[in-house]
Amino acid sequence: MRNDKKAPSYRINEQIRVKEVRVVGDGEPVVMPTRQALDLARQQGVDLVEISPNAQPPVCRLIDYSKFLYQQKKKAKEMKAKQVKIDVKEIRFGPQTGENDYNFKLKHAKEFLEAGNKVKAYVFFRGRSILFKEQGEVLLLRFANDLEELAKVEQLPKLEGKKMFLFLAPKKAGVAKKSQQKRDREQRQAEEKEQQRQEQEELAQKNSLLANAKGAEALLNATEEKE
C-alpha cells in the first residue's frame, strides 16, 4: 500500500469493529448494529465507510469507497479554489509628496484594495527630512480618510526608523460605508438635478402658455380682418 500522508484514511467494512454505528444517507440517520449495517452494504453492493470515528456511536455512510474518495478529493479542491490569496501592496510617499503624485498613488491603492489586497503605505524620510515627520503623519491620515470607503485601518501611522507606516485592509464587499463628504456631494447633486427638472418644467409651461397666447392673438387678428 502506498504511504500517502496527505490522503486521509477511513476504516471500511470489516475494519469497523465497534458494536453499533449511526448510518447516514438520504433519509434520517439510523443507529444499528455494525453487523446489520455491513449486511445492508452488501445488499446494496456498496461499502460501509466510517466518516466520523469519534462520534458516539461512530458515523458511517453506505457508499462505494472509490466514489467516496473522489467526492472528498473534489470537495477539497473546490475549497482550495475558493481560498483567496491576499497580497500586501506597498505605496511609498515622501514627506512633501505633490498633489499629482498623491492622486496617482491613491488611484493605485484603490485598485489594490478593490482586488482584495492589503496596502502598506509609508513615508520615507531621507536625511534631515525626518524633521517633517508630523507632515508625513498628516499625509498618511489623509490617505486613510480618502480610502475609507474601501479600506479599514489595521495600524495607524507609526514611525519605525526612517519610515512611517500605515496598514490598510480591504473592507468586505457590500459593507463599505460612504464617507460623509460623498454623501453630502450626492445629496447636493440630487438637489441640483431636482432643481433643474423643476426649472425645465416651468420653462415648458411658460412656452406652452406663450404658444397658446400667440395662437389666440393670431385667431383674434384673423377674425378682425374678416370683419
Side-chain angles (χ1 to χ4, degrees), residues 157-172:
K158 181 179 179 182
L159 183 64
E160 296 180 8
K162 294 184 178 181
K163 295 180 180 179
M164 181 175 288
F165 292 95
L166 168 74
F167 286 89
L168 302 172
K171 289 183 177 180
K172 293 182 180 179

Side-chain angles (χ1 to χ4, degrees), residues 23-167:
V23 179
V24 296
D26 297 333
E28 291 291 327
V30 179
V31 176
M32 63 179 67
T34 304
R35 181 54 54 189
Q36 181 181 347
L38 287 169
D39 291 340
L40 191 59
R42 293 192 192 96
Q43 293 173 11
Q44 296 183 14
V46 295
D47 298 297
L48 182 68
V49 182
E50 186 182 58
I51 60 175
S52 184
N54 296 325
Q56 295 296 328
V59 180
C60 297
R61 283 186 63 186
L62 297 174
I63 188 173
D64 181 88
Y65 188 52
S66 298
K67 181 179 179 181
F68 173 77
L69 291 179
Y70 171 77
Q71 290 177 348
Q72 295 300 107
K73 184 177 180 180
K74 183 179 179 181
K75 186 183 298 184
K77 187 176 180 180
E78 290 175 350
M79 290 180 63
K80 185 176 181 181
K82 291 180 180 179
Q83 292 178 348
V84 179
K85 182 180 179 182
I86 299 178
D87 294 326
V88 179
K89 303 293 185 179
E90 292 190 354
I91 300 288
R92 173 177 169 169
F93 292 100
Q96 295 178 323
T97 297
E99 192 67 19
N100 290 337
D101 189 27
Y102 175 85
N103 290 330
F104 178 77
K105 292 177 178 180
L106 180 66
K107 178 183 176 182
H108 278 289
K110 289 179 179 179
E111 293 173 353
F112 294 148
L113 292 165
E114 288 171 349
N117 299 306
K118 292 186 177 182
V119 171
K120 178 172 73 173
Y122 67 94
V123 179
F124 180 70
F125 300 97
R126 189 188 303 273
R128 294 177 60 84
S129 66
I130 192 69
L131 298 174
F132 300 98
K133 61 181 181 179
E134 290 82 6
Q135 190 171 337
E137 182 178 6
V138 170
L139 186 149
L140 290 177
L141 290 174
R142 175 193 173 188
F143 191 65
N145 183 67
D146 288 343
L147 293 169
E148 66 174 345
E149 293 180 28
L150 299 173
K152 58 183 178 181
V153 177
E154 283 196 336
Q155 179 186 302
L156 288 169
K158 181 179 179 182
L159 183 64
E160 296 180 8
K162 294 184 178 181
K163 295 180 180 179
M164 181 175 288
F165 292 95
L166 168 74
F167 286 89

Side-chain angles (χ1 to χ4, degrees), residues 165-193:
F165 292 95
L166 168 74
F167 286 89
L168 302 172
K171 289 183 177 180
K172 293 182 180 179
V175 299
K177 296 182 179 179
K178 295 180 181 179
S179 66
Q180 185 62 45
Q181 291 179 344
K182 186 168 184 178
R183 288 196 295 268
D184 293 343
R185 184 170 65 252
E186 290 180 348
Q187 184 177 355
R188 287 196 303 269
Q189 290 174 346
E191 291 174 352
E192 290 173 358
K193 188 174 181 180

